[in-house]
Amino acid sequence: MTEAPVNTFDRAVLFDLDGVLLDSRAALRRAILGVATAVTGVRVDDSLLKPELDHLPHYEALARLGVDDEEIALGAAWEAALAVAAHDTALFAGAIDVLRDIHAGGAAIGVVTMQPRTRMAWLVPEELSSYFRVVVGWGDAEPKPSGAGITLALEELGVHPARACFVGDSPSDIAAATAAGVPSIGAAWGYTGASLAEHRPSVLLHELSQVPDAVAKLLS
């Protein structure tokens, strides 16, 4: 029998990773171009990777470029390409300060991402990941737009959905928060931009630095 979690927090702030805390757009695009070029035998340059593909899972972007083999798109070839390209990732400005402020305010911090947890050690700087009390990644729960990942993270933290919020930059993030019964903070600084407002997040922010104040108001 699994013991119930010991609840040491009365609030939680959960984040999507890519496009919210981690600017991985350049790394993902570089990995996609490399894999597509190797598989198709034709040089795939950036002109073929249209901006709208940034909003798709990498395997869907690869499929549109002619790579429809799941073993390649989800296996060792993709993992190796992304690991090399990971040098192009960077934290969004102020990310560490934001997590430090939220932590100081007494809220637990977690991540619900499409990235597998096994990548955290080499994809995310330790100065950021040290604030994560829980990480729910690919394979841990039904992926967004399902709310299962958010629900699982809150169960592990022992925090009620009414005392949590989720920060995301995509329509599927907003849908996942709604499905899990938590308010959503739309990250307009991310990959979807200001058009995320069309998906009606509880709050739409244009700068990462605004998150702590928004959290305080949502979870007061």
Side-chain angles (χ1 to χ4, degrees):
M1 179 177 177
T2 303
E3 294 183 3
V6 177
N7 186 358
T8 58
F9 300 96
D10 69 342
R11 300 180 299 156
V13 183
L14 304 178
F15 290 85
D16 180 29
L17 184 60
D18 299 287
V20 177
L21 296 173
L22 187 69
D23 188 355
S24 56
R25 187 198 303 258
L28 288 167
R29 290 173 72 91
R30 180 180 172 190
I32 289 169
L33 293 173
V35 171
T37 296
V39 171
T40 63
V42 178
R43 184 175 182 82
V44 182
D45 62 31
D46 205 56
S47 67
L48 297 177
L49 198 55
K50 304 301 182 183
E52 60 267 22
L53 297 187
D54 289 332
H55 308 312
L56 298 176
H58 77 273
Y59 49 86
E60 290 188 23
L62 282 170
R64 295 193 183 193
L65 294 172
V67 182
D68 53 8
D69 186 324
E70 289 190 2
E71 186 173 345
I72 293 173
L74 298 172
W78 169 254
E79 197 75 7
L82 183 60
V84 172
H87 296 289
D88 291 336
T89 61
L91 298 180
F92 280 101
I96 294 173
D97 291 337
V98 165
L99 296 197
R100 183 184 299 119
D101 288 349
I102 292 172
H103 175 74
I109 296 169
V111 165
V112 180
T113 175
M114 295 289 281
Q115 299 279 6
R117 283 184 290 116
T118 53
R119 292 181 188 155
M120 293 301 104
W122 52 264
L123 190 61
V124 183
E126 186 178 0
E127 57 186 340
L128 190 79
S129 62
S130 62
Y131 286 101
F132 301 164
R133 296 301 298 250
V134 63
V135 175
V136 174
W138 179 267
D140 294 329
E142 184 180 355
K144 297 172 284 186
S146 166
I150 294 174
T151 298
L152 177 59
L154 294 179
E155 287 175 351
E156 293 193 17
L157 292 170
V159 174
H160 191 276
R163 298 294 295 157
C165 60
F166 183 64
V167 187
D169 74 311
S170 72
S172 64
D173 290 328
I174 306 307
T178 300
V182 305
S184 56
I185 295 178
W189 64 88
Y191 302 156
T192 302
S195 64
L196 191 61
E198 299 172 7
H199 299 274
R200 299 185 178 180
S202 304
V203 178
L204 182 69
L205 303 180
H206 294 273
E207 296 181 10
L208 179 55
S209 61
Q210 298 172 313
V211 170
D213 285 344
V215 168
K217 292 176 182 177
L218 283 171
L219 304 182
S220 60

